[in-house]
Amino acid sequence: MSFFAVISESKATETWLMLQGTNLLPGLMPLAMSTILSMCQRTGSRAEISYYEVYIERCYDLLEVGSKEIVVQDDKDGMVHLKGLSRVPVNSISEFQEVFSRGIQRRKTAGTGINDVSSRSHGVLVVAVSTPGSGDSGTVVSGKLNLIDLAGHLYTIPTQN
């Protein structure tokens, strides 16, 4: 298990680093997807994405029109499942950017004293990759990567929020 965090002093750049970036320096999420999709093309694997937000202790699917609420359930083994979360297959970085940008636009935001558009929710990009196993067994090897953009923690005195 690995943990990676993007932290900045200003608190205004984490989302930019995770989501957007530039064409020359893409954000962590597009950069990860570019690498994953490149590997999928070489290995015959398949990638699907889900994108949801956690806002006021509820989860919402950002890839569905209307950002429908997702039901969070625990199974008998203690595993958490997000019932109703959509999964969208992506085959190229342009497909990813098109789908992902629609999800970004649906995220809850508001203005602050230091930032006109500040995320008010935690955003989670889930990348699921499946690869056919070798031989005739029909087995599939799969894995998931969760990339999380945490809502900004704003100090109330400097930002007047």
Side-chain angles (χ1 to χ4, degrees), residues 38-107:
S38 193
M39 292 171 59
C40 285
Q41 289 173 350
R42 286 195 314 272
T43 61
S45 300
R46 183 177 147 195
E48 295 177 315
I49 63 167
S50 300
Y51 188 44
Y52 67 96
E53 70 180 338
V54 180
Y55 180 68
I56 309 177
E57 299 184 24
R58 296 180 187 263
C59 294
Y60 298 93
D61 191 333
L62 295 172
L63 299 183
E64 289 288 325
V65 176
S67 299
K68 71 174 185 167
E69 187 172 350
I70 303 162
V71 178
V72 180
Q73 297 178 326
D74 294 329
D75 67 16
K76 62 182 170 91
D77 299 321
M79 298 295 294
V80 176
H81 299 276
L82 302 174
K83 186 176 181 182
L85 181 61
S86 62
R87 290 175 69 150
V88 178
V90 288
N91 299 306
S92 67
I93 195 65
S94 61
E95 281 182 22
F96 166 75
Q97 288 171 334
E98 181 182 325
V99 172
F100 189 53
S101 67
R102 286 193 309 255
I104 291 170
Q105 292 170 357
R106 292 182 180 124
R107 235 173 122 189

Side-chain angles (χ1 to χ4, degrees), residues 120-136:
R120 292 297 189 223
S121 65
H122 305 303
V124 183
L125 175 66
V126 181
V127 183
V129 177
S130 56
T131 305
S134 59
D136 296 329

